Amino acid sequence: LIGLYIDFLVVAKRSPFFSRSKIRPRQYISGKDRRELILLCAFNMLLVAPLVSVPLYETLWDRIHGSKRLTDEDEWVWQIEVLQKLPIHFLATEVGFYTIHFAMHSCPSLYQHVHKIHHRFQAPTAMTCVYAHPLEFLVGNLLPIYLGPIITNAHPLTSYFWFAAAIIGTCKGHSGYRIFGCADYHEEHHFYYKYNYGGIYVLDFLIGTMKVSS
């Protein structure tokens, strides 16, 4: 919603700062598209996430670690949680997101019936990060974020931080604005409909699917 409000300020010419920072200054989301954007995002965030994805992945976490799963009552050991587990979270999310995302672009039927919805907006705004087919939101968006904490049996405090950081990161990637003067590489993905499939672009760099805007 903050992203949509910033777009409004730019369209109304009330914020020179954000006007200068907008990457594609002539492209905005129309009123009808904005309503549909809000409705699908609300469906995913208010229904799919709490009623499907969280119970599913929390159950998977319990099944894997059982009684050894860490809880709020366990001590938070920062050397283990930060130095050992967080790097695994980054790696697991990158591998999961890149693999699923690339597969949806490589399979015509998956792209046509599932992923194409997310690519409706060539110049996205922050909220479009969760504008996706519910199946993609469940498997392509949330599963990669959950993978790391499940694999490492992360402490709840570490998980809360990781989930918040992941949300901020994907909002940044879809913001449509230069943050601290830099445009996110995911902006190129929405413009060209290819390249930059990952979240932190490590695999894009290694595999050769990375594109940096000139």
Side-chain angles (χ1 to χ4, degrees):
L1 289 175
I2 293 175
L4 291 177
Y5 178 66
I6 291 174
D7 285 347
F8 165 75
L9 293 178
V10 173
V11 172
K13 299 181 179 180
R14 296 182 183 179
S15 177
F17 172 77
F18 286 116
S19 295
R20 291 192 300 269
S21 301
K22 182 148 177 68
I23 299 171
R24 309 195 190 283
R26 294 181 178 84
Q27 292 180 288
Y28 299 95
I29 298 176
S30 68
K32 179 184 176 182
D33 290 340
R34 191 181 303 117
R35 287 190 295 272
E36 294 180 5
L37 167 66
I38 293 173
L39 286 175
L40 180 54
C41 291
F43 179 82
N44 282 334
M45 293 298 292
L46 299 178
L47 293 177
V48 178
L51 299 182
V52 181
S53 65
V54 172
L56 177 63
Y57 299 141
E58 289 292 322
T59 300
L60 177 62
W61 197 334
D62 287 336
R63 287 289 183 89
I64 293 175
H65 295 285
S67 61
K68 294 183 179 180
R69 179 175 177 178
L70 298 180
T71 68
D72 291 316
E73 297 179 356
D74 292 298
E75 181 183 3
W76 186 77
V77 183
W78 73 267
Q79 294 94 331
I80 295 176
E81 298 295 325
V82 175
L83 301 181
Q84 296 181 22
K85 293 184 179 180
L86 277 182
I88 296 175
H89 296 180
F90 277 103
L91 179 61
T93 299
E94 175 71 355
V95 172
F97 185 72
Y98 183 98
T99 302
I100 296 171
H101 194 187
F102 186 82
M104 287 190 291
H105 276 268
S106 301
C107 177
S109 60
L110 274 178
Y111 183 86
Q112 183 66 30
H113 299 293
V114 179
H115 191 53
K116 187 177 180 180
I117 294 174
H118 181 67
H119 276 279
R120 174 176 177 176
F121 306 108
Q122 193 176 40
T125 189
M127 186 180 285
T128 58
C129 68
V130 293
Y131 183 83
H133 189 290
L135 179 62
E136 177 182 353
F137 180 68
L138 175 68
V139 178
N141 290 13
L142 297 184
L143 177 59
I145 296 174
Y146 250 104
L147 276 178
I150 291 176
I151 292 171
T152 64
N153 189 23
H155 190 280
L157 290 178
T158 308
S159 301
Y160 301 151
F161 168 80
W162 175 248
F163 294 148
I167 291 171
I168 293 172
T170 191
C171 285
K172 172 183 174 292
H174 293 83
S175 69
Y177 292 85
R178 296 179 181 85
I179 309 296
F180 300 115
C182 299
D184 194 284
Y185 296 142
H186 195 70
E187 182 76 23
E188 301 296 325
H189 177 78
H190 275 268
F191 186 75
Y192 293 104
Y193 300 97
K194 56 183 179 178
Y195 308 119
N196 304 349
Y197 297 99
I200 55 176
Y201 313 110
V202 172
L203 288 182
D204 285 294
F205 177 79
L206 295 175
I207 296 174
T209 54
M210 187 170 183
K211 181 177 180 63
V212 180
S213 176
S214 58

